[in-house]
């Protein structure tokens, strides 16, 4: 059963839009990590996300790939950048 890893991003007040655009591109470029079936990321178009203005959905082959994905060096590096510029929330569920 596949797993959806959903991330909500709320940029910190001084984060420029250009930085967020680079972050979205970096998220989309994580498709090389083993177990990743697909990635969608972009700017929120509504006001229904509790202040989050960007989001991402990473589809993994199964729950078994979540921890290796989270520990992959490229994900860890991007996570550091995300937390520097954003408040981050995540949700994971089987689909």
């Amino acid at each position: 059963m596949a797993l959806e890893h959903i991330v909500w991003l709320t940029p910190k007040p001084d984060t420029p839009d250009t930085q967020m655009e680079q972050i979205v591109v970096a998220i989309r470029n994580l498709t090389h990590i083993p177990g990743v079936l697909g990635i969608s990321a972009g700017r929120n178009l509504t006001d229904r996300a509790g202040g989050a203005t960007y989001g991402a959905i990473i589809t993994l082959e199964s729950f078994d790939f979540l921890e290796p994905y989270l520990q992959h060096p490229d994900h860890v590096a991007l996570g550091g950048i995300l937390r520097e510029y954003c408040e981050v929330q995540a949700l994971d569920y089987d689909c």
Side-chain angles (χ1 to χ4, degrees), residues 6-59:
I6 301 175
V7 181
W8 289 271
L9 302 172
T10 305
K12 293 180 180 176
D14 58 342
T15 301
D17 287 343
T18 54
Q19 181 64 49
M20 290 307 301
E21 291 167 12
Q22 291 173 5
I23 287 172
V24 167
V25 169
I27 292 169
R28 291 177 182 157
N29 286 333
L30 295 176
T31 56
H32 66 280
I33 297 176
V36 173
L37 298 176
I39 295 179
S40 171
R43 186 178 183 95
N44 183 16
L45 301 177
T46 69
D47 62 356
R48 303 179 313 140
T53 54
Y54 290 83
I57 300 174
I58 296 86
T59 304

